[in-house]
Amino acid sequence: DSEIRPYIGKIKFPHDKLFGRNDHLSSIMNVCQRMNSARPSEMILVSGHSGTGKSTLVNHVGKILVKMGVNFTSGKFDQLQQAKPLSTIIDAFDGYFSEVMQSGQDVINKTKTSLLKALGSGVGVLTRIIPRLCAVMGISATDPVQIGFNDAQNRLKYLFESMISAIATPSQPLVLFLDDLQWADISSLQLIKSTLTNSENKCFLCIGSYRENEISNDHPFAEFLSDIITRKILITKIELGNIDRTNVNALVSDVICTPELETKPLTDIVYRKTGGNILFVIQFLQSLHSEGLL
């Protein structure tokens, strides 16, 4: 306690800052900046153990892209939601169409026209599973013609790919971020794969994050990855580890609003306790704060 007590005072936890991730940020942005050239779909895979800041990094990228006029939408897989196929992708595009609804009538009309041209009457199938699409199209959800299971799966893939083709354009590329792919259901992985491998889809980038220590050779995601590599999809891999002592010190300095030269003794304690895992650093500092030590 005697080593920590000199730092008691003002404290703030960063929400929009990255620490030790400049090179990773540059690698992702380099891929994103070539999306408006009508290139085939690409994928970025961000891997790392829990707490290394995968989601924080990609969501930071998302804020930059939105300011650049790129459409960014995201969904997070949940270990408890695997019994609900496609729910994460549906949530992501529900969010996308919510943004469309808040973008003014011109954007709504343009989106509606593009979707009708690409999907025709098939748009009714998607309104059934993506609620906010109904609002964009100005129609109620309709029951699709009943067909066999395999045919229904193929129809959904075709319509989803056509939807991506309609909304991902050189003037407004589309980035889909799917978090925690180690918990993705098989139907979602198949839909992502078919979309990425469809040569008609341009200006579309899928960013996925996953914990590589939870992926075994027989894991569905391992099969998905092998398949898209075989199909020659361009994949950029970003591996995140723990941050070094210098960046931990920068984080500690930022949190407790104290110059970096003065926080090194505290950083030594924090680094020794956490090993530079960003989540653990934040949690440890929060625990010190809650105990009145910061």
Side-chain angles (χ1 to χ4, degrees):
D1 288 5
S2 61
E3 294 175 283
I4 298 172
R5 194 159 296 281
Y7 303 101
I8 293 176
K10 187 178 178 183
I11 187 170
K12 63 178 180 65
F13 290 96
H15 297 289
D16 298 316
K17 278 190 174 183
L18 298 177
F19 296 87
R21 301 301 185 214
N22 287 343
D23 289 345
H24 307 99
L25 177 61
S26 295
S27 295
I28 295 175
M29 290 305 301
N30 285 340
V31 176
C32 294
Q33 287 169 352
R34 61 180 182 239
M35 288 176 57
N36 58 1
S37 58
R39 294 168 58 94
S41 300
E42 295 186 35
M43 188 166 202
I44 298 175
L45 288 174
V46 183
S47 63
H49 286 214
S50 176
T52 50
K54 302 180 294 296
S55 306
T56 300
L57 172 62
V58 180
N59 285 319
H60 185 87
V61 168
K63 292 176 182 177
I64 297 173
L65 293 177
V66 169
K67 291 178 181 177
M68 294 168 54
V70 175
N71 288 317
F72 178 89
T73 192
S74 64
K76 184 178 180 68
F77 289 102
D78 188 316
Q79 193 171 15
L80 302 178
Q81 293 291 321
Q82 289 175 304
K84 296 182 178 179
L86 303 178
S87 60
T88 297
I89 293 177
I90 289 168
D91 287 346
F93 281 93
D94 219 32
Y96 168 82
F97 288 116
S98 290
E99 288 294 321
V100 170
M101 287 301 297
Q102 296 173 33
S103 299
Q105 197 59 48
D106 286 347
V107 174
I108 294 172
N109 291 342
K110 182 179 178 181
T111 304
K112 180 178 179 179
T113 300
S114 297
L115 289 170
L116 282 174
K117 182 178 179 181
L119 302 173
S121 60
V123 72
V125 175
L126 295 183
T127 59
R128 188 70 180 168
I129 60 173
I130 306 176
R132 295 301 294 169
L133 180 56
C134 294
V136 172
M137 303 307 298
I139 59 175
S140 301
T142 56
D143 290 322
V145 176
Q146 295 301 307
I147 55 180
F149 177 78
N150 288 336
D151 287 339
Q153 291 289 96
N154 290 331
R155 176 176 65 183
L156 179 59
K157 287 179 183 178
Y158 169 76
L159 292 173
F160 185 81
E161 293 164 20
S162 298
M163 178 185 77
I164 296 294
S165 181
I167 62 179
T169 65
S171 60
Q172 281 201 308
L174 175 65
V175 176
L176 170 64
F177 172 39
L178 296 174
D179 202 0
D180 282 329
L181 279 169
Q182 74 276 359
W183 293 327
D185 58 278
I186 292 175
S187 294
S188 292
L189 292 173
Q190 291 175 340
L191 190 58
I192 299 164
K193 180 174 68 175
S194 66
T195 303
L196 287 170
T197 55
N198 185 337
S199 60
E200 296 299 315
N201 287 333
K202 313 289 185 184
C203 310
F204 172 65
L205 172 66
C206 181
I207 304 179
S209 72
Y210 68 100
R211 303 174 186 174
E212 81 278 9
N213 57 308
E214 297 186 20
I215 303 294
S216 59
N217 290 335
D218 59 352
H219 192 286
F221 177 73
E223 181 181 345
F224 160 83
L225 189 53
S226 175
D227 285 348
I228 61 172
I229 290 173
T230 301
R231 299 288 291 274
K232 308 295 184 184
I233 300 303
L234 186 56
I235 303 172
T236 301
K237 294 185 177 182
I238 309 288
E239 296 180 8
L240 299 188
N242 293 342
I243 58 176
D244 61 22
R245 190 185 299 263
T246 299
N247 282 294
V248 170
N249 191 46
L251 173 53
V252 170
S253 169
D254 194 78
V255 167
I256 66 174
C257 306
T258 302
E260 290 184 28
L261 283 175
E262 299 177 24
T263 56
K264 287 184 177 180
L266 176 58
T267 293
D268 289 342
I269 298 170
V270 174
Y271 191 76
R272 188 167 65 244
K273 291 284 189 180
T274 66
N277 180 289
I278 296 175
L279 177 61
F280 295 167
V281 170
I282 295 293
Q283 290 177 338
F284 183 60
L285 292 173
Q286 287 173 329
S287 70
L288 293 177
H289 180 59
S290 65
E291 292 170 17
L293 298 174
L294 280 180

